[in-house]
Amino acid sequence: MPSGLFSRSTRFFPASLWFLFGWIGVWAAPEAARAQVQVQDIAVESRFQGDFGGHFARGRALVAADFDLDGRIDFFVGNPGDESFILRNVQRAGRTQFLVTQILLKDALAWGASTADYDNDGDYDLFITTGANEGIGLDYLFKNMFVEEGRLRFEDVSAEAGVQGPLDDNGDPIETASANADWCDIDHDGDVDLFVSVNIWNGTGMDGPEILQSPGDVAPVPQNLLGSYSTGQNLLYRNNGDGTFSYIAPLVGLTKAKSTRHSTFVDIDNDGDCDLLENNYNTSNFLWRNLLVETGTLQFEDVTAEFSPEGEDLSYPKLSFVSCAADFNNDGWEDLMLFMRNEGPEPGSPYDEGHALFLNDAGTGFRNVAQDAGINVNYVSAKNQGVMGSQIGDVNADGVPDLYIGNGGPSQGMNDQFFLSTSAIGADPVYEDWTANIDFAAPVNARTTANYPDYPYRTHGTAFVDVDGDGLLEVAVVNGGPAFDPDDDEMQQPNRLFKFEGWDPVPNFFKVRPVGDGVNVSKDAIGARVSLQVGFGAEQSWNLYQTQRGGSCFSAQNGFDLFFGLGNADLIKEVQVNWPDGTSTVISDGLAVNDALVVHYDGTVEQATPRRVAPEAPARLDAALAAGTPRSFALSEAYPNPFNPSTRITYALPEAAHVRLKVYDTLGREVATLVDGLTAAGRHSAVWRAGAVPSGLYLYRLEAGSFSRTRTMLLLK
C-alpha cells in the first residue's frame, strides 16, 4: 500500500426499507446490498495532514468554503499556539492537493471560526475567535480580497469593523474567552450579523478541566467591566452595512451571562427569521425565539420552557459541548443535535446519559429521540475526555445526516466515533455504529520530519465536504491538544481526511448553492431554505430539505454548496428556494441527478462546476495554480546588488515550508536572520537593512524544507 494511504473496510447491509410517509406511499431501497465499502485516509497524499514546516499543529477550527471562487473547496485551519492558515485546494497532475497560501495568525489562541460574505462583495470572509478554554484575547475579522484584487488574500479588518470584542467606557475592546461564532441575518436587512459564544475565564479556573489552567501565565479578567458588558456574556454584533458592526446583545434581550461552548442559529417556528440555541456547559441551555416577524421589532424571548412539551426539558442536558441544526427526518422543520460530555445521568434531567437528538414537532416543541436512534449504544462516558469536535453530513448519500463524534481531552486522546444513518425518509432517524471503519491511526508520511504522537488523538473541527468533486462527501478532521505546553509534541497531532469508496450502487446526489442579491438577501444566502422533490420511477416521490448556514457544529463549516444525498432517486421534479425575506424561487425544468446548480435571488440559474467528470489530464497544471504558485523552490539575486544601505531578497516556495533566510559574512559568522518560521506557498521577499555593518561581501542562505541555496551580495558604503 503506498505511503499516505490507509484504509479500513466493512460489509454494508442496508438496515431497512426506506419509507415515505405522506401522499405517495412506500418506496424501497435498492437491493444491491453487502457492497464492500472502504474508508481511506488520504490526508498524506493531499497534504491535508498538516505537517507544514516539519511539525503538526494543535488543531481547533476547520472552515470549508470556496475562498478563491474556482469551484473547489478550500479550508481555514485554526491552531491555538501554532500557525493558523488558509489551505487552497488545487489540482496537480489531476489530483487534489492542499497548499498553505496565507498564514493569518501565529501563536494566537485561535479556537473557533466561521465564514460569511459580510460585505456582500461576492467572496467569503472569515471571523476567528480566540481564547475559549485556554485564555482570553481579541477576536479577528479577515476580509477576503479576491474580488477586489483577483488573487486569494485576506486582510485583517478587525479593529475598523468593531468586532474584536465589546467596548469599555473608553472605547477600547475587551478581551474575552470566545469559543465559536455563527452568522445569520437577524434583522432581514440583506447583510449577515454575527453571534459569538463566550466562555468564563478568570485566569485561574473556569468550567473546564483543571489541566487547562496554567496559574500565573494568564492575567485575571476584571469581574466588573466598564460599559454594558458583563463577564461571560455572549456577543451579538449587528452588521451596519458599511463594513462596521455594533454590539447589541443587551438591547435585544440577550443578557444572560453563562459559559457557552457553542450556539446555533435555527428557525424553530418556520417563520423565516433566525432563532437561537445557546448550549451552555455545566449550566442550563437557552432557546431564544426571534420576534422580528411576529412584532416587527428585533427582540429575542426565552422560549426554552414553551418548546419543552411534557416529559421534555430543553434546558437539559447541561454538559453539551457542541450543537448543530439539521432536518434529520426531512419533515420541513429544523431539528437540533447536542453532543454531550456528561458522565452518568444528570440530576433533575429527564434524559438518560448521552447525546441528545431533539426533533422539532412542527413548531410545537422538541422531543429527544437519541436513545431510539441508537447513537448512545457505545456512548463515551467521560466528562473530561469525551466529545469535543463533532459534525453532521450525509456520507452514504441516503438523505439523512450521518454523525461524526470527535472525542478526547486535554490530558489524552480518545477514539472518535462514526454513526451511519439507516432510517427511512420521513421517519425518526436510526443509526448504525460504523466506528470500526474510521478507527485506525493516521498514515505515516515517510518524507516528513513531523513527530507522530500516539493514537488516538484529540479531535476538534470536522467538516463533511466533497473535496475532489466526485459527488460523495469526505470527512475532514483536525486534531490537537491545548497550547499551554508548547514543548509537548503529543499536543501537535496529524489531521485526517477520510474518503469512503466502494458503494454499490453508487448513490445519486444533487448540489444547490443559493446566492442572494446583497440587498434583500445577503450574497451568501445564509438562512435560505432549499427543498427538493425527488423521485424513483414515474410514481414515487419524496422531499428533502437543507438550510444554508453560517457555521455548523464545533467551530466548523461544511461549505456553501448544499449537498443532497438522493440514494436511488433517479429524477428531480422540483427545486424550491425559500429566501430569508419570505420570497421563493421554484425551478422545475432542466433538472437532473448528479448535477450542481447555482440559484440566484433574481431567478437566474446556472450550472456549477460539473461533478463526476474525468480527472484533469496529468500533463495539465491548473491555470490559476500556475499563475499564482511557483513550481519549484528558488532563491533570486538580491536587488540592488551591490547595494547601500538595503537590498531586497526574493524567494519562491511551491508549498508551505519552515523557512530560514540568514545573512553570513565570509568567515561563516551569522550577521542577520531575515526569516525563521512557517511560510506559505508563493513568492516572498525580505529586506536586509545593513545598518552599521561594514562594507564587504556577504552571503545569504535560504533553507526551506529539504531545499537550500546560497548566494552572495556586495555592500558598498
Side-chain angles (χ1 to χ4, degrees):
M1 186 170 295
S3 173
L5 188 67
F6 195 94
S7 67
R8 180 66 55 84
S9 64
T10 190
R11 290 287 187 180
F12 171 54
F13 300 86
S16 64
L17 297 177
W18 291 348
F19 296 90
L20 172 66
F21 297 93
W23 34 276
I24 56 90
V26 179
W27 69 284
E31 292 300 327
R34 302 179 183 178
Q36 186 79 8
V37 175
Q38 290 190 331
V39 183
Q40 301 175 338
D41 183 353
I42 60 172
V44 169
E45 64 185 61
S46 64
R47 296 302 309 276
F48 184 76
Q49 195 174 76
D51 58 330
F52 305 108
H55 68 85
F56 297 124
R58 304 165 179 86
R60 287 299 181 279
L62 182 65
V63 171
D66 182 7
F67 289 122
D68 56 2
L69 307 181
D70 66 352
R72 291 188 287 262
I73 286 292
D74 311 301
F75 288 107
F76 166 75
V77 184
N79 303 306
D82 293 306
E83 300 90 352
S84 298
F85 43 73
I86 298 293
L87 285 180
R88 182 169 176 242
N89 184 343
V90 301
Q91 291 284 333
R92 276 182 163 173
R95 303 177 70 179
T96 297
Q97 191 171 63
F98 291 96
L99 296 179
V100 175
T101 57
Q102 187 176 355
I103 298 170
L104 300 184
L105 299 173
K106 293 185 178 182
D107 301 325
L109 294 176
W111 251 78
S114 59
T115 184
D117 186 1
Y118 84 93
D119 54 358
N120 280 330
D121 67 351
D123 54 27
Y124 302 113
D125 311 298
L126 187 67
F127 183 76
I128 304 171
T129 64
T130 66
N133 284 13
E134 299 187 61
I136 59 173
L138 299 180
D139 297 329
Y140 295 87
L141 178 63
F142 285 92
K143 174 178 168 57
N144 189 345
M145 303 300 294
F146 186 84
V147 167
E148 289 82 356
E149 300 178 353
R151 65 187 181 108
L152 184 57
R153 185 180 72 85
F154 286 83
E155 183 173 302
D156 185 355
V157 296
S158 313
E160 62 193 72
V163 292
Q164 292 177 298
L167 302 180
D168 63 20
D169 283 350
N170 295 320
D172 298 321
I174 300 168
E175 292 185 331
T176 61
S178 302
N180 94 292
D182 204 358
W183 298 87
C184 200
D185 185 0
I186 60 170
D187 51 5
H188 287 181
D189 64 351
D191 49 38
V192 286
D193 310 293
L194 178 64
F195 187 87
V196 182
S197 297
V198 176
N199 284 339
I200 297 175
W201 173 269
N202 61 20
T204 59
M206 57 177 292
D207 55 0
E210 290 183 0
I211 193 171
L212 288 174
Q213 316 312 327
S214 183
D217 292 344
V218 180
V221 176
Q223 296 303 296
N224 295 308
L225 296 170
L226 299 174
S228 59
Y229 181 72
S230 300
T231 303
Q233 186 175 314
N234 295 328
L235 310 174
L236 178 62
Y237 295 104
R238 187 174 190 168
N239 192 333
N240 298 321
D242 59 359
T244 67
F245 291 77
S246 297
Y247 169 64
I248 64 166
L251 304 178
V252 296
L254 298 176
T255 58
K256 298 184 184 301
K258 302 289 184 181
S259 193
T260 308
R261 283 290 186 274
H262 203 90
S263 296
T264 297
F265 280 119
V266 54
D267 186 359
I268 60 175
D269 48 8
N270 272 4
D271 65 355
D273 58 20
C274 308
D275 307 310
L276 179 70
L277 172 72
E278 285 181 334
N279 67 288
N280 300 309
Y281 193 70
N282 231 1
T283 187
S284 299
N285 304 315
F286 289 94
L287 184 65
W288 300 92
R289 177 166 53 196
N290 187 341
L291 298 177
L292 180 67
V293 171
E294 289 85 352
T295 67
T297 301
L298 177 63
Q299 193 73 17
F300 287 87
E301 69 168 347
D302 180 1
V303 294
T304 311
E306 179 181 338
F307 276 76
S308 300
E310 185 177 355
E312 308 286 346
D313 189 343
L314 289 176
S315 67
Y316 289 91
K318 293 185 176 181
L319 285 167
S320 56
F321 212 85
V322 183
S323 63
C324 313
D327 190 347
F328 284 89
N329 55 357
N330 282 293
D331 65 350
W333 296 84
E334 291 192 275
D335 311 308
L336 291 167
M337 178 78 209
L338 272 68
F339 292 100
M340 300 303 301
R341 205 181 172 109
N342 51 14
E343 186 173 10
E346 297 176 355
S349 174
Y351 308 120
D352 295 331
E353 175 190 58
H355 308 299
L357 176 50
F358 288 103
L359 295 186
N360 187 339
D361 284 336
T364 62
F366 289 84
R367 56 188 172 92
N368 184 7
V369 300
Q371 302 304 327
D372 291 339
I375 62 176
N376 288 324
V377 291
N378 295 310
Y379 176 71
V380 176
S381 180
K383 177 179 177 181
N384 291 336
Q385 303 300 329
V387 73
M388 291 194 293
S390 299
Q391 188 58 270
I392 55 179
D394 192 2
V395 167
N396 61 347
D398 66 347
V400 181
D402 307 308
L403 311 176
Y404 192 96
I405 302 174
N407 295 311
S411 61
Q412 68 181 66
M414 293 196 71
N415 298 79
D416 293 345
Q417 296 171 288
F418 180 61
F419 286 86
L420 197 78
S421 61
T422 60
S423 51
I425 298 292
D428 288 0
V430 177
Y431 290 92
E432 181 177 310
D433 189 349
W434 267 41
T435 297
N437 293 64
I438 52 95
D439 187 13
F440 57 92
V444 175
N445 182 357
R447 296 178 298 174
T448 188
T449 59
N451 174 68
Y452 282 83
D454 292 337
Y455 174 78
Y457 315 120
R458 301 160 175 86
T459 290
H460 293 98
T462 303
F464 284 67
V465 287
D466 182 4
V467 298
D468 53 8
D470 66 352
L472 293 169
L473 296 182
E474 287 75 51
V475 181
V477 180
V478 296
N479 299 308
F484 62 76
D485 190 348
D487 298 322
D488 188 352
D489 288 341
E490 284 292 317
M491 300 300 180
Q492 296 176 308
Q493 299 178 340
N495 300 328
R496 317 297 300 272
L497 185 55
F498 294 109
K499 185 171 182 60
F500 296 72
E501 295 182 308
W503 304 103
D504 185 16
V506 178
N508 292 324
F509 74 96
F510 193 76
K511 295 181 182 179
V512 179
R513 177 158 52 89
V515 177
D517 62 349
V519 178
N520 300 285
V521 174
S522 62
K523 283 285 188 72
D524 49 34
I526 289 173
R529 307 281 294 277
V530 180
S531 64
L532 262 62
Q533 184 183 353
V534 303
F536 178 67
E539 302 298 327
Q540 300 171 337
S541 64
W542 59 96
N543 292 327
L544 302 170
Y545 300 89
Q546 294 271 2
T547 300
Q548 188 71 286
R549 303 193 183 281
S552 179
C553 301
F554 182 95
S555 300
Q557 220 158 324
N558 289 337
F560 289 91
D561 288 320
L562 298 178
F563 177 89
F564 289 86
L566 305 183
N568 65 337
D570 57 6
L571 60 91
I572 299 175
K573 297 184 177 181
E574 183 179 278
V575 176
Q576 179 170 330
V577 180
N578 294 317
W579 304 99
D581 69 346
T583 62
S584 297
T585 299
V586 178
I587 306 159
S588 56
D589 296 328
L591 302 172
V593 298
N594 301 330
D595 203 358
L597 296 183
V598 177
V599 181
H600 294 269
Y601 178 80
D602 64 3
T604 304
V605 179
E606 58 183 299
Q607 188 167 11
T609 305
R611 303 307 195 213
R612 288 192 187 151
V613 296
E616 297 183 50
R620 181 181 180 273
L621 187 67
D622 177 81
L625 174 64
T629 306
R631 300 193 186 195
S632 61
F633 291 97
L635 177 64
S636 300
E637 181 77 19
Y639 182 82
N641 189 13
F643 69 96
N644 180 29
S646 65
T647 187
R648 181 177 297 274
I649 300 170
T650 302
Y651 57 97
L653 308 176
E655 60 188 42
H658 189 103
V659 170
R660 291 184 179 88
L661 179 59
K662 297 187 176 185
V663 178
Y664 300 89
D665 63 18
T666 54
L667 297 178
R669 295 173 298 194
E670 183 177 321
V671 176
T673 297
L674 305 182
V675 181
D676 188 359
L678 181 64
T679 306
R683 294 174 174 83
H684 306 273
S685 65
V687 174
W688 182 39
R689 295 176 175 84
V693 175
S695 299
L697 185 67
Y698 291 89
L699 296 82
Y700 58 100
R701 180 176 179 82
L702 175 71
E703 296 178 354
S706 60
F707 173 84
S708 63
R709 182 74 187 273
T710 303
R711 286 180 174 271
T712 60
M713 53 188 171
L714 182 60
L715 173 61
L716 296 177
K717 289 188 174 181

